[in-house]
């Protein structure tokens, strides 16, 4: 078999990780051929604004491009849009796309992210039932909004709550349906969950907890509402499903890579297959801030930092193992949530400030050490608390709760 093309480094995935890997390779002086292959038609663009500014109509697409179109050509980075990899031949160093095209590589960086997880119930594929994962997803939502008065959002994670906030601001009647007993249950402590539940309700959102979706009701081939497991019916002209992603790793797993919920990589983002790296949402990696666990993180920070690790390992330019402290953010209404560290496994939680003021922090501890902070409209805590997480500082809970004491002073206390 003759490859249609071959590149020294082929990057599969045109999101933040894939784009940053290519950018970093050029920045550190890599002169070999580089290509970014993506399954969307667009050049690399930012994903977080999709459920925020872009959905709200406050930021046009050109402003969420990671780089303007001329940037890639100027740096001799080839873009291969509209292609989807269906198989990887690790021995032959070759991938095959859905239309049968074969492309060779010297090194492969897998940055394919994940696909939106879909409901399995009746009506899940009806017109008017949407995910919020790609520009095309959100463009379809925007196109339908003029004819929509009521929206059911399935999922009380970041995507669901951000979409709910935007749609409420746009004048829609929104119901959030969460299967667990609180929103943000997988990523935050209960005080933060209850705060955001109250905020959304104060803005008119109907938040349903412990509510399982039985089916999406369909009338005239379009979504017309949601029936819950308890028999309740929520009429709606639009349903948005935000229940997480499925890592796009099947071609690598089929090729023999170790993995399951993501593909496993080492501290240099190397998979178990020769000359194949994985980064970003789809990479299950050893994280020094996860108490020795193998984790898969869905964040821009993780994708960008791992891109740098992989690029330097490929270029052999002072490669360093991945050791970045995780951070995340979410904007809902006038609230800015900033998170640093990983709170999973915490055994204590300290409230710093008063949620009634809409500016406070939650500080998570494990065995007395600070492991994470959730900061709501409290950027100073977020910035200063980062060092506490990095150093796993052992700080008394009363000191952490005292808002008159800046967190930065506690390291030297």
């Amino acid at each position: 078999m003759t490859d249609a093309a071959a590149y020294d480094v082929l990057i599969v995935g045109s999101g933040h990780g894939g784009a940053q890997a290519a950018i970093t390779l050029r920045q550190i002086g890599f002169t070999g051929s580089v290509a970014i292959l993506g399954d969307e038609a667009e050049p690399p663009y930012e994903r977080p604004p999709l459920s925020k500014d872009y959905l709200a109509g406050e930021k046009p697409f050109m402003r969420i491009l990671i780089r303007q179109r001329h940037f890639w050509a100027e740096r001799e980075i080839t873009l291969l849009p509209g292609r989807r990899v269906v198989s990887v031949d690790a021995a032959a160093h070759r991938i095959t796309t859905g239309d049968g095209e074969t492309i060779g590589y010297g090194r492969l960086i897998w940055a394919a992210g994940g696909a939106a997880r879909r409901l399995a119930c009746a009506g899940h594929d009806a017109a008017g039932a949407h995910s919020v994962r790609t520009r095309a997803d959100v463009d379809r939502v925007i196109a339908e909004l003029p004819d929509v008065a009521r929206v059911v959002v399935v999922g009380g994670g970041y995507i669901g709550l951000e979409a709910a906030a935007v749609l409420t601001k746009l004048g829609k009647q929104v119901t959030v349906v969460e299967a667990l007993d609180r929103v943000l249950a997988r990523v935050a402590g209960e005080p933060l969950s209850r705060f955001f539940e109250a905020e959304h309700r104060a803005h008119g959102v109907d938040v349903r907890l412990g509510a399982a979706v039985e089916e999406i009701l369909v009338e005239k081939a379009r979504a017309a509402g949601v029936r819950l497991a308890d028999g309740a019916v929520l009429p709606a002209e639009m349903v948005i499903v935000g229940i997480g992603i499925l890592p796009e790793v099947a071609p690598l797993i089929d090729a023999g890579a170790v993995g399951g919920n993501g593909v496993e990589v080492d501290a240099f983002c190397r998979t178990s297959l020769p000359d194949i790296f994985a980064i970003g949402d789809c990479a299950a990696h050893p994280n020094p801030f996860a108490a020795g666990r193998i984790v898969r993180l869905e964040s821009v920070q993780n994708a960008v930092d791992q891109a740098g690790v992989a690029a330097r390992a490929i270029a052999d330019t002072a490669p360093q193992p991945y050791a970045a402290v995780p951070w995340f953010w979410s904007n809902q209404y006038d609230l800015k949530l900033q998170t640093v560290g990983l709170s999973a496994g915490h055994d204590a939680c300290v409230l710093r400030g008063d949620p009634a003021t809409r500016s406070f922090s939650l500080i998570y501890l494990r065995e007395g050490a600070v492991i994470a902070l959730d900061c709501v409209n409290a950027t100073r805590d977020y910035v200063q608390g980062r060092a506490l997480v990095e150093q796993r500082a052992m700080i008394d809970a009363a000191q952490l709760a005292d808002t008159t004491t800046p967190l930065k002073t506690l390291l030297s206390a």
Side-chain angles (χ1 to χ4, degrees):
M1 181 182 294
T2 301
D3 298 329
Y7 300 92
D8 294 312
V9 177
L10 176 63
I11 301 167
V12 175
S14 58
H16 287 274
Q20 187 61 44
I23 292 168
T24 302
L25 283 168
R26 291 304 187 224
Q27 287 176 337
I28 62 180
F30 183 79
T31 58
S33 56
V34 177
I36 301 174
L37 181 153
D39 58 3
E40 296 181 68
E42 293 86 359
Y45 64 90
E46 300 175 21
R47 308 307 166 113
L50 292 177
S51 58
K52 306 179 186 74
D53 312 49
Y54 186 71
L55 175 59
E58 297 170 353
K59 186 175 285 187
F61 183 69
M62 291 301 293
R63 288 185 56 202
I64 68 172
L65 289 174
I66 291 175
R67 294 289 191 276
Q68 295 303 308
R69 294 175 185 269
H70 61 81
F71 172 91
W72 308 105
E74 289 173 355
R75 283 149 183 83
E76 297 184 328
I77 297 169
T78 301
L79 298 184
L80 303 172
R83 295 166 169 86
R84 183 177 182 81
V85 175
V86 295
S87 67
V88 174
D89 186 334
H93 283 54
R94 174 188 296 131
I95 63 96
T96 302
T97 66
D99 60 5
E101 180 182 12
T102 61
I103 301 173
Y105 63 85
R107 307 284 182 89
L108 179 68
I109 300 179
W110 193 267
R117 188 184 297 273
R118 302 178 67 89
L119 292 170
C121 64
H124 70 89
D125 55 352
H130 301 278
S131 300
V132 179
R133 185 66 182 169
T134 68
R135 179 198 183 183
D137 291 337
V138 180
D139 283 349
R140 285 189 288 269
V141 170
I142 292 170
E144 294 178 15
L145 282 179
D147 299 318
V148 169
R150 299 165 297 184
V151 182
V152 172
V153 176
V154 181
Y158 289 128
I159 294 295
L161 294 183
E162 289 167 359
V166 170
L167 293 168
T168 299
K169 289 170 62 177
L170 294 176
K172 309 306 178 183
Q173 179 182 328
V174 180
T175 301
V176 171
V177 175
E178 169 54 50
L180 299 178
D181 62 356
R182 59 186 177 93
V183 302
L184 301 175
R186 297 176 180 85
V187 295
E190 184 170 351
L192 191 72
S193 298
R194 302 309 180 199
F195 173 80
F196 275 102
E197 289 162 12
E199 282 292 325
H200 280 274
R201 286 172 173 144
H203 282 84
V205 177
D206 181 2
V207 180
R208 305 284 185 103
L209 303 173
V213 174
E214 183 74 21
E215 67 174 312
I216 294 178
L217 302 174
V218 180
E219 294 179 7
K220 298 180 181 179
R222 290 195 58 83
V226 170
R227 186 190 308 278
L228 302 180
D230 64 3
V233 172
L234 308 174
E237 295 78 37
M238 177 181 287
V239 177
I240 292 180
V241 179
I243 56 173
I245 69 168
L246 294 173
E248 292 274 22
V249 295
L252 289 186
I253 302 301
D254 291 345
V258 175
N261 179 26
V263 61
E264 292 188 15
V265 299
D266 66 11
F268 294 92
C269 298
R270 297 175 296 207
T271 73
S272 59
L273 298 174
D275 297 322
I276 298 181
F277 297 73
I279 61 175
D281 293 3
C282 63
H285 64 280
N287 191 292
F289 297 93
R293 293 179 296 117
I294 300 295
V295 296
R296 188 176 60 77
L297 301 179
E298 299 170 16
S299 74
V300 172
Q301 167 271 321
N302 178 63
V304 169
D305 286 339
Q306 286 189 329
V309 169
R312 287 178 172 82
I314 287 171
D316 205 23
T317 304
Q320 295 291 324
Y322 183 68
V325 60
W327 54 265
F328 314 83
W329 81 94
S330 177
N331 295 331
Q332 300 170 41
Y333 308 110
D334 60 340
L335 301 168
K336 185 176 183 65
L337 168 63
Q338 295 170 288
T339 297
V340 59
L342 300 173
S343 62
H346 70 275
D347 53 31
C349 179
V350 176
L351 174 63
R352 178 180 172 88
D354 182 1
T357 67
R358 305 177 83 251
S359 175
F360 66 97
S361 298
L362 293 175
I363 304 176
Y364 301 92
L365 308 175
R366 183 169 55 241
E367 298 178 356
V370 176
I371 61 170
L373 291 86
D374 282 326
C375 306
V376 177
N377 290 346
T379 299
R380 181 176 298 175
D381 282 356
Y382 169 75
V383 172
Q384 297 183 7
R386 181 187 185 96
L388 301 182
V389 175
E390 290 176 335
Q391 299 183 31
R392 298 170 178 81
M394 305 286 288
I395 309 293
D396 180 73
Q399 291 180 295
L400 292 172
D402 182 5
T403 56
T404 66
T405 303
L407 291 178
K408 65 181 179 181
T409 66
L410 298 180
L411 280 176
S412 56

